[in-house]
Amino acid sequence: GDSVTQMEGPVTLSEEAFLTINCTYTATGYPSLFWYVQYPGEGLQLLLKATKADDKGSNKGFEATYRKETTSFHLEKGSVQVSDSAVYFCALSDRGGGNKLTFGTGTQLKVEL
Amino acid sequence: EADIYQTPRYLVIGTGKKITLECSQTMGHDKMYWYQQDPGMELHLIHYSYGVNSTEKGDLSSESTVSRIRTEHFPLTLESARPSHTSQYLCASSDLTDYGYTFGSGTRLTVV
């Protein structure tokens, strides 16, 4: 079945550092890929998405590129802020499976001054 | 501004009580979902619905039940709450495109 693997957290960075959170996936078809962010005490918010190979999703300085050859969708940001501290979830949607999302286990990011 | 609403945000309740967690969305989405999120953050799908009068169990077995009598409303009920039900419950909805899910803010349930 479909699966998503994320790097383990927590990830602790200093403000203005470069961020990478790795995400790889296994899927039988051609899924859409997503990154969600969850701030403390809140639900998940869609951060960015990509629907086909080589697409780049971007939002709020975050980027991720759909790499079919390496089955990856790594999240990057050039300069993190304290306000980026949150839990980040990678997810895929198998269009053949009724658009149900399969989530990774989440990666907690802590950004310090 | 949230288009999917969950109430209550926080609930502390005694063992054996019956509870209903409410979820409503104003986007006209056909598909709705309930996730249970454990303290380790992992999300587990417990119920979903593809439309009115359609409900299915998710990947994680749950003692809760759901109903979908109206498109906009997808309540979750626990007939007899137990401490093992203590968790955060997240409701989400989606349409038929690849736009992903819209999540509510969640209900944090504590059973004492």
Side-chain angles (χ1 to χ4, degrees), chain A residues 3-113:
Chain A
S3 66
V4 176
T5 302
Q6 284 183 239
M7 65 187 287
E8 298 262 340
V11 174
T12 303
L13 296 173
S14 299
E15 203 170 42
E16 299 184 0
F18 184 86
L19 168 71
T20 300
I21 300 178
N22 290 337
C23 171
T24 57
Y25 68 90
T26 302
T28 52
Y30 298 94
S32 295
L33 301 173
F34 305 85
W35 277 100
Y36 283 83
V37 59
Q38 185 177 31
Y39 297 102
E42 297 295 324
L44 277 70
Q45 301 173 24
L46 179 63
L47 181 60
L48 53 84
K49 66 178 176 72
T51 58
K52 62 183 187 298
D54 300 324
D55 267 2
K56 177 186 280 189
S58 61
N59 186 25
K60 300 180 182 179
F62 291 90
E63 301 184 328
T65 302
Y66 189 142
R67 300 284 188 204
K68 186 167 176 287
E69 63 277 12
T70 55
T71 61
S72 65
F73 193 55
H74 305 321
L75 182 69
E76 297 181 335
K77 187 175 185 183
S79 175
V80 294
Q81 306 299 312
V82 171
S83 57
D84 293 326
S85 298
V87 179
Y88 293 82
F89 291 89
C90 186
L92 70 82
S93 170
D94 176 4
R95 282 167 259 200
N99 273 29
K100 268 195 292 176
L101 285 183
T102 299
F103 286 93
T105 53
T107 302
Q108 185 169 17
L109 171 65
K110 297 180 182 177
V111 181
E112 301 173 334
L113 289 171

Side-chain angles (χ1 to χ4, degrees), chain B residues 45-86:
Chain B
L45 179 66
I46 51 175
H47 298 283
Y48 62 98
S49 167
Y50 286 167
V52 171
N53 294 325
S54 151
T55 61
E56 301 286 344
K57 291 189 180 297
D59 306 319
L60 180 70
S61 175
S62 173
E63 293 164 348
S64 58
T65 58
V66 292
S67 62
R68 190 89 182 277
I69 298 171
R70 303 197 314 267
T71 297
E72 62 271 21
H73 194 213
F74 191 42
L76 181 145
T77 298
L78 276 165
E79 290 292 333
S80 180
R82 295 210 300 267
S84 60
H85 296 138
T86 295

